[in-house]
Structure formats: structure tokens, C-alpha cells
Amino acid sequence: MYFHILKMSLRALQDNKTRSVLTALGVIVGTAIVIIVLSVGAGVRGLILHQLSSITPETLWIEVQIPLKGTRAEKDAATGQAISSGVQIKTLKIDDLDDLKKIPNIEDGYAVVIGQEKFTYHSEEKRAIYWGVSPQYQKMENLKMSSGRFFSMKDDNSLSKMVVLGKDIKETLFGNQEAVGKKIKIKGQSFTVIGVAEQVGTKYFMDMDEMVYIPVQTAQKKILGQDHLQGISLKMKNKDLLPTTKSQIERSLRRNHHIDDPEKDDFVVRTLDESMEIIDMVTDAISILLFALASISLVVGGIGIMNVMYVAVTDRTQEIGLKKAIGASPFAIRFQFLSESVVICTIGGILGIGLGISISWLVSFIAGHLQYYWPFILPTSSVLLAFWISVGIGIVFGYAPANKGSKLNPIEALQKT
Amino acid sequence: MSGIHKTYHTGSVQAHVLRGISVEIKKNEYVAIMGPSGSGKSTLMNIMGFLDVHDAGEYLFDNRPVEGYDEEELAEIRNKRVGFVFQMFYLLPKMSALDNVKLPMLYANIPEKEQEERAKQALISVGLEDRMHHKPNELSGGQQQRVSIARALVNEPKVIFADEPTGNLDTHSGNEVMEIFTRLNREGKTIIMITHEDEIAAYTKRKIIIRDGLITSDEINHSQK
Ligand SMILES: Nc1ncnc2c1ncn2[C@@H]1O[C@H](COP(=O)(O)OP(=O)(O)OP(=O)(O)O)[C@@H](O)[C@H]1O
Ligand SMILES: [Mg+2]
């Protein structure tokens, strides 16, 4: 019997194809958004993870921060604000790095200062970000050279004025010419190009091919005129010793910075886990927003369905009366109309899933064309979720009209014209 | 049934339509209910046929009081124990004659194969073996009424109610329909019908006349056609 009633419902919908599709529009959009949220969300995560892929569980990153009571997020916000308004925290030094490298579980580390300058070669001129880094950078970040070499400890200690160029900035300044051995000007000083890096692409959301690498101490002394650092990157030998190593680092830095109250730390040690938490927080926030959007359109769609089903019950009052007069139970009538709304919603849901998949795929396709690593990920759970949501909408919003139909008095319904 | 009352409320207006109807109809009777327009014939039949409920009085069906049946039970009685034939036929327009006749069996949970078999049998018994796959609008009024009789018969109810079944038919089709009812009555069915025409009532064995919600005459027809 149920199979038959279902068949009758399908026929009723076929008779009203356009109306059914229009009704299902809200559900189509809603389920499409659900798919997009989950699929694009996973894609964004993939993108971020790829950008940060050189961060391994062994990596630790030490950064300066404003000493402040509060949660991690509050400290980060305050530090960001302070730095953008020109406050400098000058306590992190090369000596700190040297001391940290003495911790047994620390395999290696490099110091970082970041700046922006105009680089000139003859008439060619280019503003670019430079990284002042320790020579260990090359090995730790696995930077390959297409010509020349990276700088050495000796170069750094002797404050040699030399640079390594990213692939694109080399092409901007030198075109096809050989760059190694040539001199470029930074702040009126002459620097020798000793190497050109292979193509890297984007990393940490920066275009590494537009980047210039300078020995960290040269950058500090000859360009910036400072002896503090922005950050230190460390690599552990054994990632399982993280908690001990982290507290050893904190102790060492507190000793060097004369801090006895951990609340007053002017640095922060970041780990992969912590970075993942931040990524999750960001992607979750975006997802929640989009889910709210999806819910709204699903509710709107549901109300649309409810409306159409009320109209259907009114339009077919006589049919309901006849069916009841020949013995259809209230349950059978309810089932008939409920199955209609569920079928509309399910078809809408399936169309929405298709639409969502297409859009998600298109986004990753376009991002891929723009040289971003943006994987197209379609979680099975997202398809199932979207499907069951649309079925649920059909039940929830179809119930009231179906129930109304099932309660009609047979003779009154039959005599309606 | 005895002392049946029914009042309709439309806004502030009340219509006391049935004012104490008492009547007993036995198995295998063949009854015509007559009376002027608005006298309450349809109202009475709808109550007898479980399409409507009375306000006061007692109604025993098959020696059981009908008060206290719930909606699902009423649906089952309408489905299996009684059959209805209406003046307006009320066939579903998008379905073939055969599908219309199958409908009551659908709600009785009868297997598809048996539905097909019995619906065909019922249509054959009303002489429509060559019209089974026609839609209602491809059939004449008489043919449509015969489809609706087949539909009323198909679940083998003991009682058939017919509210002016010939009201929309010409004399010839009307007589065809009445011959079917007469045959069904001979085969053991109880038949209760409303009509305005004496020629139609002449087919039956008992004639009840209603005026203003009361039975004014109830007599045996000794000269049944
Ligand atoms: N649903 C209703 N609501 C209000 N009044 C109704 C309703 N149904 C019937 N009536 C009234 O009840 C009275 C009896 O109606 P009923 O249909 O039983 O008459 P009838 O004898 O079948 O008449 P006819 O021969 O015209 O079919 C009429 O006055 C009618 O207006
Ligand atoms: Mg009437």
C-alpha cells in the first residue's frame, strides 16, 4: 500500500513539475550551501595546511608578545595591535638562539628578522620583503638553489653584504641574465648576489619567489640598525619530548630576559598543535556563519514547502473526501501528503547536492588555476548530512498540512467544490 | 437506529435537520428513501454510512453501537463493510476506470495481483469489460456511475448506500443502473438508496418517506419491478 501511495505522490508531482521545482528552490539552495560549506571548508583547511606544510610536529616557533594577563587569544590580539601601532619588543636576541640550541632535544634553529626595502639593479627597481635569517634556514626549510649558494655561518658572523634572491624577483631585476656575482643596491649599500633559489610558490601565505634572503646579522646591523629578532624557529630531535623541551625553552628565555613571573612572559612558544587549533578556530567560525546562512535558506525553503502543501490539500479536498469515503484512514492520507513533501524535498536535496558539488569543484578548479594548492575534497558525511536534512525538512514542514488533510470530515470534504 | 438527531451549525444559524429518526433495516433489504428537497435524506444516509456522525440517538450497526469507534476503525468500516455510490460519481479524473476501482483495495492492503483480478471482475459485473482503461472523462455518465458501483462493490461490503445514483442519468442509463442494484440485492446485498423518482423507487422492496427530519411513511412495495 505504501509503495502505491508513493507512486501516486510521484505522479502528482509530475503533473506539477515547475511548481515542484520552484517549491524546492529553497531546499536546493540550502543543501547546496551545506555541501559547499563542508567541501570548501575542507579545501580551505587543505590550503592552509599546505601553506604551513613545512611546519612539522618537530617544529617550534618562538615569537615576541606583549606581557599581559589573559587568554592566548587576548594576548595575540593585544600583541597584534601593539605591533601595528609601532610598539617594538626588543628582548629576543641572537644570544637567546645560541642558548636554546644548547637544550639537548633541540637539533637546530634559525633566527628571523623581517623587513621591506627597495632593491635596485641598474635601472631595474623593486620593493620587496626580505627575510634576515640564519644560515640554518636553508637546511631546515629545505630551500633548493637553482644557481649559486646560500650564505654560511661565516658570512653571517662577518656581516657580509650578500643576498639570495627568490626566483621571480631575480627575473624582475635581471631578466634572463646571470645574477650570481652581480651587485644590487639596498639603502644605498652594495650587496652581492650569491645565489638564486628554485621556485617555491606560496608558503606561510607569502609569495616566497618574490623574497630576498639576507644573513640575519647583516640585516640587523647594516639595514635595520637593531639587535633584536622577530622570531626564532627551532627543530626538536624527538617530538615526544615536547612538554619538557617547551618548559626548558621557557626557563632559558625567562633567565635571559630576567622574568620570574610567567604571566609577564614577553615571548610565546608556538607548536604545531597550537597552530592547528587556530586553523580549526578560523575554519569553524567561517563554517558556523555559512551554516547559519544554510539554515535560513532551509527554513525559508521549508516554509515554502509547507505553503505549497497547504495549497495542495485545499486544492484536493474533494479527492481527500472521496478517499476517506471509500476507506482511506487518516494515516493513509497523512502518508500520501507527507510522502509528496518528502519527495519534493529529497529531489530538491539531490539537485542541491549536485549544485553544491559543482560549485565546490569550480572553486577548487579556479583556485588551482591561480596557482593555489586547493584540493577538491568532498566529505561523504557532507553528502549524507545534506541528504538527510532535506528529507527532514520534508517531514517537519510537510507534517502540519498532511495532518490537516487527514483530519477532514469525509462528507464535508467531498461536497467542497 | 432510534431517535437520531442531527443539527447543523452554520455561524449563528442552526438547522435541526434530523429530529428523531427511528428505523430498522435488516439484512438483504432493498430500501428507497424519498422526500422533498432539504428534508434530510442525505444527512440521514451519511450518518448511516459512517460519513458523518449524529448528535443524539442510538445507531446499532450489525448489532453493535457505532458510538465510540475511532477514526481508524471508522475508516476500516467505510472500506470493508459498506459501499457508497454518489449522484456525482466522484471518480478521480486522472486515473483509469480500473485504477479507480482498485483504490478501495489499496487501502485494504490487498496484494497488487489480487487487486487487478478483483477490479476487472467488478468492472465485468457492471458490463464495462471493454472500458477498463478509459479515463472518467472518456466515459458517459451511465458508464461512470457503473464504474463507481464497481468501486463500491469491490471490497465486498454487505451494505451499499446510494445517494440519488440515477439523479444525473437519463432514463435508459438509470434503468441499467437500477438493474445492477436489483441483481446485487438478489445476490444478498442490502441496498439503501435515495431517489426522487417513483419509477426508480419501484425497483425497491421498501419505501421510506422523510419530511422535515421525520419519517412520515414506511411501507413495503408489493409490486417490485
Ligand atoms: N454541512 C451542512 N451544513 C449546514 N447545513 C446543511 C449541511 N448539509 C445539509 N444541510 C442542510 O440540511 C438540510 C437537509 O439537507 P440534506 O442534504 O440532508 O437534504 P436532502 O433531503 O438530501 O435534499 P436533496 O433532495 O436536495 O438532496 C438542508 O436544509 C441543508 O441546507
Ligand atoms: Mg440529498
Side-chain angles (χ1 to χ4, degrees), chain A residues 412 415, chain B residues 8 10 15 17 35-44 164 196:
Chain A
E412 280 172 21
Q415 284 165 352
Chain B
Y8 287 112
T10 325
V17 178
S37 191
S39 55
K41 307 181 294 293
S42 297
T43 307
L44 175 63
E164 299 185 44
H196 282 288

Side-chain angles (χ1 to χ4, degrees), chain A residues 131-190:
Chain A
W131 271 37
V133 289
S134 317
Q136 287 84 352
Y137 178 93
Q138 186 195 12
K139 189 169 150 245
M140 287 174 64
E141 296 289 337
N142 197 19
L143 183 71
K144 299 209 173 61
M145 310 299 292
S146 65
S147 64
R149 63 176 183 93
F150 205 73
F151 33 85
S152 66
M153 285 305 271
K154 214 181 91 204
D155 297 329
D156 187 31
N157 288 331
S158 62
L159 308 184
S160 305
K161 292 199 222 170
M162 45 179 56
V163 297
V164 169
L165 299 178
K167 174 176 170 286
D168 290 347
I169 190 163
K170 181 257 162 191
E171 273 163 27
T172 312
L173 293 177
F174 293 95
N176 295 329
Q177 293 176 46
E178 177 62 57
V180 174
K182 304 269 166 56
K183 295 207 182 303
I184 61 170
K185 283 229 154 49
I186 307 171
K187 265 186 151 180
Q189 308 175 63
S190 209

